[in-house]
Amino acid sequence: MTLTHSMYRMPVPAQGRRWVLRLTLAAAAGGIALGRDAAGAGSALAALRAGGHVGYMRHAITDRSQVDTGRLGDRAGQRNLSPEGRAQAAAIGRALAILGVPVGAVLTSAVFRARDTADLAFGVDRAEVVPELVADDYEPDPARVAANARWIARRLATLSRAGATDLLVGYIVPLGLVLSRALDADEFPEGAIAVFRPEAGEARHIGFLRPSELLGAAGMPG
């Protein structure tokens, strides 16, 4: 199943017509092969630990009383991590280390909820900030949203070095564009990781790993 053929058939999510426009423009994203049924959390975790895969991590838990303004660099005008989210991000980093995940490149955006997640999980300034991972509501140009989705699809199909597990820290909507379907918070909650295997220039979706599953595997409270 490719992006091009399925995006037009997906149900319209709550975001309404803006989402549909973005999906239509992103329909040419291409470059990613998707299994019909992604494997479960155990397979996703095993893939992370084995290396040779790429994870797309959603930022940690946020303060829903805060509203995004779309202004990069304005922390007060963004939805930031809650205290629970800051603790969750640090715990995810510890769990990945306990489980021996060979973390390679870490990429994130300048929007603070993702950048803070990367800093807390992997160390301050460990992550590279890249514009293509910006949150969709911080990009007013739908054509750029589509281009960013294409970039993410290509990056999920590319490893920085052999045996590593690269991690992209981002948001739920861009991953929905890549997977060509709406994602909800039960399937891909804050702090979850979607795991992909690069093969033959494409990326195959292995499965989702929720934060409770990751922390539980590491023997940590979820």
Side-chain angles (χ1 to χ4, degrees):
M1 179 174 62
T2 65
L3 294 178
T4 302
H5 300 302
S6 60
M7 279 186 153
Y8 300 102
R9 299 198 299 270
M10 65 182 293
V12 179
Q15 291 92 333
R17 287 182 297 173
R18 184 173 112 177
W19 234 95
V20 174
L21 175 61
R22 288 176 171 178
L23 288 171
T24 300
L25 287 170
I32 185 166
L34 306 175
R36 284 289 178 183
D37 298 299
S43 295
L45 177 57
L48 284 179
R49 298 177 74 180
H53 292 76
V54 182
Y56 184 98
M57 178 180 173
R58 189 179 177 191
H59 58 77
I61 300 166
T62 52
D63 182 346
R64 293 288 172 170
S65 71
Q66 299 175 344
V67 178
D68 282 306
T69 63
R71 296 193 299 268
L72 289 173
D74 178 12
R75 182 180 287 277
Q78 297 186 18
R79 191 176 89 244
N80 293 282
L81 298 184
S82 66
E84 182 184 5
R86 296 182 68 83
Q88 182 193 58
I92 288 170
R94 290 196 299 273
L96 292 171
I98 289 170
L99 293 167
V101 174
V103 176
V106 179
L107 308 179
T108 188
S109 86
V111 179
F112 284 108
R113 60 183 176 270
R115 188 169 185 174
D116 289 346
T117 297
D119 284 347
L120 289 162
F122 306 108
V124 176
D125 296 329
R126 166 77 162 78
E128 177 186 358
V129 175
V130 294
E132 291 85 359
L133 284 173
V134 71
D136 61 294
D137 44 7
Y138 281 74
E139 177 50 77
D141 181 1
R144 281 302 316 165
V145 174
N148 289 346
R150 291 193 295 271
W151 183 91
I152 292 169
R154 291 193 299 271
R155 187 59 184 80
L156 292 172
T158 306
L159 282 172
S160 292
R161 58 182 174 82
T165 294
D166 294 345
L167 290 167
L168 284 58
V169 184
Y171 316 88
I172 191 170
V173 170
L175 185 63
L177 293 174
V178 169
L179 293 177
S180 75
R181 63 185 180 86
L183 295 172
D184 61 36
D186 290 332
E187 185 175 26
F188 192 53
E190 292 173 317
I193 302 174
V195 184
F196 296 84
R197 181 174 66 247
E199 54 180 43
E202 296 182 330
R204 182 162 294 278
H205 184 208
I206 302 300
F208 295 102
L209 183 63
R210 296 171 181 83
S212 59
E213 295 165 334
L214 175 65
L215 298 180
M220 299 171 62

